[in-house]
Amino acid sequence: MISSLTGRWSDLLLALWQHIQLTACALLLAALLAIPLAVWALRHKKSAEIILQVTGILQTIPSLAVLAIMIPLVGIGFPAALTALVVYALLPIFQNTYLGLSQIEPELIDSAQALGLPRNKILWHVRFPLAQDSIIAGLRTAAVMIVGTGTLAALIGAGGLGSFILLGISRNDNSLLIIGALTSALLAIVVTLGIQWIGKLRALFRWSILAVLLGGITIGTVTPMLIHRTNNTVIIAGKLGSEPAILIAMYKDLIQVEEPNLKIVTKDNFGTTSFLYTALKNNDISIYPEFTGTVLSDIAPKPVTLPAGASAKMTYYKAQQVAQKLDLTLGKPSQFNDTYALAVKESLAKKYDLVTIGDLAKVPSMQGGMTAEFLDRQDGWPGVAKAYGLTNINTTSFDPDLRYQAIAQDKVALVDAYSTDSQLRQYHLQILQDNQHFFPAYQAVPMMKTSFAKDHPEIVRALNRLAGKITDQEMQQMNYLVNVKHHSANQVAKTYLTQHHLLKN
């Protein structure tokens, strides 16, 4: 873990700063919404109960679902994460502020009124000073929730310490996972202790310090974002996993050779297909590597069904047709076919003489561990089970990376896979032949908006250098180097491009 920490120290500082920015902005906005709302609720008791119930219900919605809901409304990345975290922070701040302000001893309020103090002065000079401990407690609770939930922001490209956690899970590197989790926990402790310390100061100093800290960090966050949107920057994003990380690193290197003065930003582990597609349509990103089969199944308004045994060439042609109707442009496909597959341990395949998917019917009963996406897709488990008549297999949903750990520990006997996954080699798994050609071709293609492609023909030309390059074995080996040997995706990508003479002008 020490070597991972020293090797990624600059990345950790960047992720920590991103997390601090997200926490400060969310806490400030939530406080600016919840505290005035609590003051208003003092005179509207019935409305206060409704607000408490609504904010309580909002907290029961899974955080990942809230993030997904926010994407169509405010876009991908920081804005969506910030909005979701503000929603989660509203309840503790509003609840503690309202209870603190409303549960003041009636005698004290009566005394203040007897002295002739108006309502506003009673609020500022009596209620707020007596409710300060409750308000500070609400801010502390909200801060802890924001820091913890904020780790999910990395799923939609908002950065933060969650990027280390996702990277650790994706690449089976516990040291990265622990670094991200421990740093997040330490940040939560520091933030709560800081708020507690500030709460002990005199009122003027307390609120001044909070305002300066939160306001300063917020301004420092928003200003670069506004400036960034005015710059001509190419943003290349990738889905979760090592393979997209390798591909976007290749894209960057190829474009940089063609346009050395162009500013290029890469965002790996950006999220799922729906997140990336929405980001592309909203101009939050410029390019991302997609797969021809995914364009037909997930990007097309209605899934496109190809005849059994359709060639990779036909799949690409149909994907191009879908893309053109959506004002998208696909670059030329790479050679490797990262299609769906079913895999078992080599020992189990030998025991039951399993060669094809249909041979699974020989096994009396099996437990399969598969991703939620594969279990839900018609070109996934429902379709393949029907095509091969597999009625002897029970399935359980697993995280994409955890399903491999499950089969390694014999908790399941069958997993879905991608044909270039490094875990196939790592855990000695055997892919079963799809002799009915059920799974379509999934070749990697750079996808961008057609307007972007027309404005940047040199970028399209650079990316097309990967056309017909990278075999299945080469991609699996590169994934293995990143996931198992913990090599840098950037270095693995550059090594491949250099060895295959793709970086020459």
Side-chain angles (χ1 to χ4, degrees):
M1 190 171 76
I2 299 299
S3 60
S4 297
L5 184 60
T6 55
R8 294 180 177 270
W9 182 249
S10 59
D11 294 336
L12 179 61
L13 291 179
L14 175 61
L16 178 60
W17 173 238
Q18 291 171 339
H19 216 97
I20 291 172
Q21 290 176 310
L22 194 58
T23 300
C25 291
L27 191 61
L28 177 61
L29 288 177
L32 290 176
L33 289 172
I35 294 176
L37 193 60
V39 173
W40 175 84
L42 283 174
R43 300 177 61 184
H44 303 82
K45 303 291 184 181
K46 292 183 179 180
S47 298
E49 294 300 322
I50 295 174
I51 295 171
L52 284 170
Q53 291 179 11
V54 171
T55 53
I57 291 172
L58 289 175
Q59 280 202 322
T60 65
I61 302 175
S63 51
L64 190 57
V66 176
L67 289 171
I69 292 170
M70 293 301 167
I71 291 175
L73 300 177
V74 296
I76 208 84
F78 189 90
L82 178 63
T83 307
L85 293 177
V86 169
V87 168
Y88 270 88
L90 286 176
L91 176 62
I93 299 176
F94 173 80
Q95 184 180 52
N96 281 49
T97 302
Y98 175 72
L99 293 177
L101 294 175
S102 62
Q103 293 181 351
I104 305 298
E105 293 293 337
E107 293 81 3
L108 295 175
I109 304 299
D110 292 339
S111 299
Q113 291 174 340
L115 292 173
L117 291 178
R119 187 189 302 271
N120 288 340
K121 286 193 175 182
I122 292 175
L123 175 66
W124 289 107
H125 297 289
V126 179
R127 292 188 184 273
F128 265 112
L130 293 174
Q132 66 179 12
D133 290 341
S134 181
I135 297 173
I136 293 296
L139 291 171
R140 290 175 59 193
T141 302
V144 172
M145 293 178 61
I146 291 171
V147 172
T149 309
T151 56
L152 294 176
L155 284 170
I156 58 171
L161 295 169
S163 58
F164 271 75
I165 297 173
L166 286 177
L167 198 61
I169 295 174
S170 173
R171 300 183 184 175
N172 196 27
D173 189 342
N174 289 333
S175 61
L176 294 178
L177 196 155
I178 292 172
I179 288 171
L182 284 180
T183 308
S184 178
L186 289 173
L187 177 61
I189 293 172
V190 170
V191 169
T192 54
L193 289 177
I195 293 176
Q196 184 178 10
W197 172 75
I198 291 173
K200 294 178 180 179
L201 299 176
R202 294 179 61 183
L204 179 61
F205 292 116
R206 179 192 313 127
W207 299 114
S208 298
I209 291 174
L210 276 175
V212 170
L213 284 176
L214 296 178
I217 294 174
T218 301
I219 293 172
T221 302
V222 174
T223 302
M225 290 175 62
L226 295 175
I227 295 174
H228 170 71
R229 287 190 176 274
T230 65
N231 291 337
N232 184 24
T233 302
V234 173
I235 302 176
I236 309 174
K239 301 180 187 180
L240 302 173
S242 61
E243 188 165 292
I246 294 168
L247 288 173
I248 66 174
M250 289 184 177
Y251 290 2
K252 179 181 180 180
D253 288 342
L254 289 170
I255 296 172
Q256 208 77 77
V257 168
E258 194 77 25
E259 293 290 330
N261 297 323
L262 188 64
K263 183 179 179 181
I264 303 173
V265 176
T266 57
K267 295 179 178 290
D268 57 357
N269 289 301
F270 199 75
T272 60
T273 298
S274 61
F275 287 175
L276 282 153
Y277 177 63
T278 301
L280 185 66
K281 297 295 285 185
N282 292 341
N283 296 315
D284 291 318
I285 62 174
S286 311
I287 308 165
Y288 82 92
E290 191 50 275
F291 294 88
T292 53
T294 305
V295 173
L296 299 180
S297 61
D298 291 7
I299 303 299
K302 292 184 179 180
V304 178
T305 303
L306 296 177
S311 66
K313 186 176 181 180
M314 177 185 288
T315 304
Y316 176 62
Y317 174 72
K318 291 292 185 181
Q320 278 186 309
Q321 289 184 323
V322 170
Q324 288 171 0
K325 292 179 181 179
L326 297 172
D327 294 323
L328 299 172
T329 293
L330 303 182
K332 295 180 180 179
S334 300
Q335 179 182 342
F336 72 94
N337 179 21
D338 191 5
T339 189
Y340 279 118
L342 294 177
V344 297
K345 275 190 171 182
E346 292 176 354
S347 56
L348 184 69
K350 184 177 181 181
K351 178 180 179 180
Y352 288 99
D353 191 25
L354 304 179
V355 178
T356 69
I357 294 176
D359 291 337
L360 289 171
K362 300 178 183 177
V363 185
S365 63
M366 295 186 73
Q367 182 66 41
M370 301 171 185
T371 63
E373 181 182 12
F374 187 75
L375 289 173
D376 187 60
R377 297 171 63 106
Q378 284 305 309
D379 63 343
W381 179 249
V384 75
K386 182 179 179 181
Y388 283 94
L390 302 177
T391 60
N392 59 321
I393 301 173
N394 297 316
T395 58
T396 304
S397 175
F398 275 88
D399 173 86
D401 296 291
L402 294 181
R403 75 191 191 280
Y404 281 116
Q405 296 182 29
I407 195 171
Q409 298 169 7
D410 293 319
K411 293 180 179 179
V412 298
L414 174 71
V415 294
D416 67 308
Y418 294 111
S419 56
T420 59
D421 282 350
S422 62
Q423 292 90 338
L424 296 170
R425 173 180 170 182
Q426 181 181 1
Y427 297 119
H428 306 288
L429 304 182
Q430 177 176 317
I431 288 180
L432 301 175
Q433 296 177 14
D434 179 18
N435 55 317
Q436 291 190 22
H437 306 288
F438 174 81
F439 295 121
Y442 282 81
Q443 290 180 297
V445 289
M447 189 164 81
M448 65 204 81
K449 295 182 76 171
T450 298
S451 57
F452 178 87
K454 289 180 178 179
D455 291 339
H456 301 280
E458 72 286 354
I459 290 180
V460 178
R461 183 169 59 250
L463 296 177
N464 282 340
R465 291 180 186 173
L466 283 178
K469 305 295 183 182
I470 313 176
T471 65
D472 289 4
Q473 293 73 24
E474 287 171 337
M475 180 52 75
Q476 187 178 102
Q477 173 63 14
M478 286 190 283
N479 285 329
Y480 182 80
L481 290 174
V482 174
N483 288 329
V484 182
K485 296 299 184 180
H486 305 309
H487 291 189
S488 163
N490 293 334
Q491 187 56 52
V492 169
K494 188 175 290 292
T495 298
Y496 177 88
L497 294 176
T498 302
Q499 290 177 346
H500 290 78
H501 311 290
L502 293 173
L503 290 182
K504 291 184 178 180
N505 288 317

